[in-house]
Amino acid sequence: MKKVVVGAAILDGDGRLLAAQRAEPPELAGGWELPGGKVDPGEDDHTALVRECLEELGVVVAAGTQVGGDWPLTGDYVLRVWLARIIEGEPEAKEHLELRWLTADELFDVAWLPADLPIVRAVQGHLGGI
Ligand code: 523
């Protein structure tokens, strides 16, 4: 079985994408990612996505279209990403250093983690529609 990390490409009503700056581990700290985390044993991807967004950002999200399939991560992990909308709450950096809402023009203004960069390129094609 593949080990899965889920990520949320959270878009707002203006077509901006939420980027989150990692606080740890040291080798990833300062890099920007789509928020998310590991799927727990026995948990399904969707439940993990909603749980991680609540834990990390304090928001409830509704997931839409999946962006691509299994994106490679280091080790045995793959990253699966869904477009998402916030249905409850205002995002706060509970576990990240900083959050930014990026407009289409700003999408590549942050230093995305290597795994996230091609996914953000794929998300670019979805801006304006979920
Ligand atoms: N990534 C990554 N991009 C990305 C996410 C959500 C995760 O490259 N958008 C990588 C970073 C870590 C691994 O996936 O190497 C696990 O993500 P992490 O640390 O956010 O997952 P957690 O919080 O579930 O992990 P533990 O703290 O170990 O429980």
Side-chain angles (χ1 to χ4, degrees):
M1 279 280 279
K2 280 176 192 158
K3 293 195 254 181
V4 179
V5 176
V6 291
I10 300 175
L11 302 178
D12 73 2
D14 299 323
R16 298 181 304 172
L17 174 68
L18 189 66
Q21 189 178 33
R22 281 193 75 103
E24 48 77 45
E27 61 272 21
L28 299 180
W32 293 76
E33 69 173 7
L34 300 169
K38 291 173 189 149
V39 177
D40 286 339
E43 189 179 41
D44 65 47
D45 293 357
H46 179 260
T47 304
L49 190 74
V50 172
R51 174 183 55 73
E52 289 285 352
C53 290
L54 195 56
E55 286 174 6
E56 295 186 351
L57 308 169
V59 297
V60 178
V61 298
T65 312
Q66 189 172 1
V67 182
D70 288 356
W71 299 89
L73 278 177
T74 50
D76 300 334
Y77 284 92
V78 295
L79 179 54
R80 293 180 183 157
V81 172
W82 283 264
L83 298 181
R85 292 267 188 204
I86 294 173
I87 55 173
E88 202 180 312
E90 280 294 320
E92 284 175 57
K94 293 177 177 292
E95 297 180 3
H96 290 92
L97 294 178
E98 199 188 330
L99 303 179
R100 273 187 70 178
W101 285 106
L102 302 173
T103 64
D105 289 346
E106 295 167 340
L107 269 193
F108 301 101
D109 286 2
V110 299
W112 290 104
L113 295 182
D116 290 58
L117 187 57
I119 308 174
V120 174
R121 288 200 195 100
V123 169
Q124 213 175 2
H126 291 278
L127 294 179
I130 177 164

